[in-house]
Amino acid sequence: MRLSDTIESFIKAMIQEDTPEVELKRNELAEYFHCAPSQINYVLATRFTPDHGYVTSSQRGGGGFIRIVRVRQSGGDHLNYLLHERIGDSLDAQSAQVLCSQLAERKVVTPTEAQLMAAAVSPQALSAPMPEAMKDALRAKIFKCMLLSVVQQRAKQTGNG
């Protein structure tokens, strides 16, 4: 496991269901993991973003800290955000993979569904000779259709649809 993955797991373990917020000291984390503070910055900047369901803020100085808050959205709000703001009309392959992981982590889809979705929008699946912009537009449409289908199926299963 890479150091970035270890740091991410450590922070996520601190953010439990009943504690959606945590305050950390960057230098203390860097000491704990025997790494440079910039490694902590990298993890925060790439793994604890609004797209991942987190908001981070920091206070600099001697008593400085980093606050990480897990954002809670209702299912409908999160779905609207994903469909209209996050995915939009274009979705690159890397973002699609990240979204699949996030959806499984948030239990919006099962791990198996996430793997199928990721495979369907992977570079290998969309390897036809066409411009990347067209592939990204096609990927967004496919992703939205799959996501809506899964959500509708869940609603039927729970009696909400």
Side-chain angles (χ1 to χ4, degrees), residues 75 78-84 86-87 91 99-100 102-104 108-109 113 117 121 139-155:
H78 190 245
L79 183 61
N80 281 331
Y81 164 75
L82 285 173
L83 293 174
H84 302 293
R86 177 62 184 92
I87 298 170
L91 184 65
L99 278 171
C100 289
Q102 291 169 358
L103 289 169
V108 174
V109 300
E113 290 166 339
M117 291 172 74
V121 296
R139 184 177 289 113
K141 288 182 183 293
I142 292 168
F143 198 94
K144 285 179 180 182
C145 287
M146 287 187 297
L147 184 56
L148 284 171
S149 179
V150 169
V151 169
Q152 288 169 349
Q153 194 62 33
R154 292 275 185 288

Side-chain angles (χ1 to χ4, degrees), residues 57-72:
S57 59
S58 62
Q59 178 178 329
R60 304 217 182 265
F65 61 87
I66 302 162
R67 178 178 292 128
I68 305 169
V69 180
R70 185 181 41 206
V71 179
R72 292 213 182 266

